[in-house]
C-alpha cells in the first residue's frame, strides 16, 4: 500500500524540492515519520528564521522553497518574515499541520480554525485537502502555483492523521484539475489577487 506520505514525497521530488525547512510541533510528527533520506529536513528554532532560510535557499538554488510549520501558531510567528518572501515573489510552499480530522469540528487545541484565510493577504493561494487522498494532488497544485508567474507563497494545511492513510481509495469523482461534475476536491481554497504588486 502506498501511503499519503509516500505519494506526497514523490510529488515533492517530481517538482524538484530538494530540502524541507521548518519548526515542527506535535501536528507535524506524522509528516516527519515518513521523511525520506534524499530530502533533508533542516530544523530551525524559530519560524521567522525558518521562512527566511527557506526563502534564501529557494532564491540561491532557483528551486521552490518548502517550509513546514506548527499549526496556526507557527504560521503566525512566521508572518513578519513572510512579508519579505511575498514581496520578493519567492516561490514557496508553506505547509502547516492541522489537528486530527475528528477534532477539527469541535475546535480542539491546535486546530487551525480557518486555514485558507490565515495567510491573507500574503499568500497567493491556500488550501486544505477535503480527504486524506487529496493531499498529494493539493501539494502538486500548490507547487505549480508557487512557481507560476507571478511567483509567490502558497499555504497548505494538512491534518495530522492523513499521512498514514492509503493514497488510493475507491475511485473518486475528482479529476486531475480538481473538479468534475461540480465536486470539490479541496476545502475552501482562496486565491489572492496580485494586481497590487
Amino acid at each position: 500500500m502506498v501511503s499519503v506520505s509516500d505519494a506526497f514525497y514523490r510529488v515533492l521530488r517530481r517538482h524538484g524540492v530538494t530540502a524541507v525547512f521548518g519548526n515542527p510541533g506535535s501536528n507535524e510528527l506524522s509528516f516527519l515519520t515518513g521523511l525520506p533520506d534524499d530530502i533533508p529536513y533542516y530544523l530551525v528554532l524559530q519560524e521567522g528564521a525558518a521562512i527566511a532560510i527557506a526563502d534564501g535557499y529557494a532564491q540561491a538554488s532557483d528551486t521552490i522553497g518548502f517550509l513546514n510549520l506548527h499549526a496556526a501558531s507557527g504560521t503566525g510567528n512566521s508572518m513578519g518574515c513572510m512579508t519579505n518572501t511575498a514581496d520578493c515573489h519567492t516561490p514557496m510552499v508553506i505547509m502547516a499541520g492541522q489537528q486530527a480530522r475528528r477534532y477539527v469540528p469541535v475546535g480542539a487545541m491546535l486546530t487551525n480554525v480557518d486555514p485558507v484565510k490565515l495567510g491573507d493577504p500574503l499568500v497567493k493561494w491556500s488550501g486544505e485537502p477535503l480527504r486524506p487522498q487529496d493531499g498529494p494532488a493539493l501539494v502538486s497544485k500548490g507547487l505549480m502555483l508557487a512557481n507560476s508567474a507571478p511567483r509567490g507563497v502558497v499555504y497548505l494545511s494538512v491534518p495530522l492523521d492523513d499521512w498514514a492513510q492509503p493514497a488510493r481509495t475507491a475511485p473518486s469523482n475528482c479529476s486531475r484539475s480538481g473538479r468534475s461534475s461540480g465536486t470539490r476536491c479541496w476545502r475552501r481554497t482562496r486565491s489572492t489577487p496580485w494586481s497590487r504588486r
Side-chain angles (χ1 to χ4, degrees), residues 155-173:
Y155 183 76
L156 307 177
S157 173
V158 181
L160 69 92
D161 50 351
D162 284 7
W163 301 104
Q165 298 296 317
R168 293 184 182 215
T169 59
S172 171
N173 55 0

Side-chain angles (χ1 to χ4, degrees), residues 76-156:
N77 288 339
S78 75
M79 291 188 80
C81 289
M82 193 185 303
T83 59
N84 295 333
T85 303
D87 285 343
C88 290
H89 294 282
T90 303
M92 170 94 56
V93 172
I94 299 173
M95 185 188 72
Q98 171 65 290
Q99 181 56 270
R101 287 181 181 274
R102 67 181 177 268
Y103 297 124
V104 171
V106 296
M109 186 174 176
L110 300 178
T111 296
N112 193 342
V113 178
D114 198 350
V116 297
K117 291 184 180 176
L118 186 62
D120 281 352
L122 302 174
V123 299
K124 180 178 180 179
W125 183 80
S126 58
E128 184 174 61
L130 202 57
R131 314 172 303 144
Q133 293 74 23
D134 297 330
L138 181 76
V139 75
S140 183
K141 180 176 181 175
L143 289 161
M144 286 188 287
L145 288 171
N147 208 26
S148 299
R151 292 171 150 191
V153 180
V154 167
Y155 183 76
L156 307 177

Side-chain angles (χ1 to χ4, degrees), residues 1-14 20 27-39 41 66 68 95 101 129 131-140 143 158-168:
M1 170 193 84
V2 175
S3 69
V4 168
S5 178
D6 295 334
F8 192 90
Y9 285 117
R10 288 179 189 173
V11 170
L12 292 185
R13 284 187 198 97
R14 179 130 331 180
V20 175
N27 285 7
E28 295 73 36
L29 294 179
S30 50
F31 165 70
L32 296 175
T33 301
L35 189 70
D37 293 335
D38 63 322
I39 301 177
Y41 190 99
F66 198 89
N68 175 235
M95 185 188 72
R101 287 181 181 274
R131 314 172 303 144
Q133 293 74 23
D134 297 330
L138 181 76
V139 75
S140 183
L143 289 161
V158 181
L160 69 92
D161 50 351
D162 284 7
W163 301 104
Q165 298 296 317
R168 293 184 182 215

